[in-house]
Amino acid sequence: MDDLARTALRTAGGLAGAGLVGIAYAAFVERTWFTLRRFAVPALPPGAAPVRILQVSDLHLTPGQTKKIDWVRSLAELDPDFVVNSGDNLAHLDAVPPLLRAMEPLLERPGAFVLGSNDYFAPTPKNPARYLTSRHADAPARRSTLPVKALRDGLGSKGWADLNNARRIVRMGDHDVELVGVNDPHIGYDRYAKVAGSASTDVALTMGLVHAPYQRVLDAMVGDGASVVLAGHTHGGQLAVPLWGALVTNCDLDTRRAKGVSRWWPGAGTAGARGGAAPSSDAPEDAAWLHVSAGLGTSPYAPVRFACRPEATLLTLLARDS
């Protein structure tokens, strides 16, 4: 074997070894390396007292995930004014009892929820390459149903607002806040026409809740006057490229907004270079604040995360003049 062949063999071996290390890290370290993100958003009227909102999303829980359950329970120590659950709680037929155990201390606080596709249907194996195509939302031919009624009853047992295609005024801290929510657009369950209408003028703000942040819903909510929208679904891309970010969002949202806080306004998704959308830096003064949670779980058929730690978010709403 000549020197060139030996060099090529060593290079191939090194790349293979690095790949195996990366896969092991993604599967056994980062996937359960939970973190709390904190963001401050100036969305309340001038002089208003702050409001702290805890958002949890995309647990994709299966029985036996005690580390995740215990970590979610510990979030109650943050003492938020309000809790939002953005859906995709389940990944197993028997996951409702452990999910409600995880959420139990948070259910003692005021809250609201919307559902995702994985609250209705069990996960199935998929070709990961499909997430890079326009067929990312195609449903499998056969899907097992999950106990969604038990989930809804459990989340609503302590008075949480069910915002699936619903509109409600709730109390957050010292303020009345109007919530406008839809069922999951990823599976076509959203019915925005049922909740459409101008934002109330008798509240501190109007907030939209949705699991999958499809542009049709974001445009409708913000067009009606929602100044904050909370969503999940994207997993932040789940497998991200360092210094670049997400490669996919599993919906029609651009990858720059795959997780974290950004700005959204009707038409933001129709211009721009990356992902076919205008960047937040182009936002008009009255643009809404969009927060997309990268979530806490993964499908059991793709149990990896890379450069995208599982997360919950403590979002502090501040007065616009603060």
Side-chain angles (χ1 to χ4, degrees), residues 177-200:
V177 172
E178 181 179 42
L179 297 181
V180 180
V182 293
N183 211 332
D184 190 10
H186 192 62
I187 49 176
Y189 282 11
D190 54 308
R191 300 291 183 269
Y192 189 76
K194 292 180 60 176
V195 295
S198 299
S200 174

Side-chain angles (χ1 to χ4, degrees), residues 133-201:
T133 73
S134 60
R135 298 184 58 234
H136 58 81
D138 288 358
R142 296 181 180 178
R143 293 187 289 183
S144 300
T145 57
L146 293 170
V148 64
K149 183 180 185 303
L151 174 65
R152 292 178 90 154
D153 290 347
L155 291 178
S157 63
K158 295 297 182 69
W160 274 27
D162 184 337
L163 265 293
N164 291 283
N165 300 322
R167 196 170 189 133
R168 183 84 64 86
I169 292 179
V170 300
R171 193 72 175 169
M172 291 189 186
D174 297 334
H175 310 293
D176 288 332
V177 172
E178 181 179 42
L179 297 181
V180 180
V182 293
N183 211 332
D184 190 10
H186 192 62
I187 49 176
Y189 282 11
D190 54 308
R191 300 291 183 269
Y192 189 76
K194 292 180 60 176
V195 295
S198 299
S200 174
T201 59

Side-chain angles (χ1 to χ4, degrees), residues 203-218:
V203 295
L205 81 158
T206 295
M207 177 183 296
L209 303 182
V210 59
H211 174 65
Y214 279 83
Q215 292 183 31
R216 67 176 184 271
V217 176
L218 301 181

Side-chain angles (χ1 to χ4, degrees), residues 66-80:
T66 55
K67 183 176 181 180
K68 187 188 300 182
I69 292 169
D70 291 343
W71 192 84
V72 173
R73 288 178 63 87
S74 74
L75 295 173
E77 298 171 7
L78 297 168
D79 194 24

Side-chain angles (χ1 to χ4, degrees), residues 219-258:
D219 283 354
M221 288 178 168
V222 175
D224 274 348
S227 54
V228 176
V229 180
L230 305 185
H233 176 71
T234 66
H235 296 191
Q238 191 165 320
L239 299 175
V241 177
L243 304 179
W244 173 261
L247 298 176
V248 296
T249 62
N250 198 20
C251 63
D252 64 357
L253 189 69
D254 62 287
T255 53
R256 280 179 296 205
R257 295 176 171 88

Side-chain angles (χ1 to χ4, degrees), residues 23-28 31 65 238-239 297-305:
I23 292 171
Y25 166 80
F28 299 109
R31 180 174 62 89
Q65 292 182 330
Q238 191 165 320
L239 299 175
T298 68
S299 166
Y301 297 105
V304 291
R305 278 183 179 256

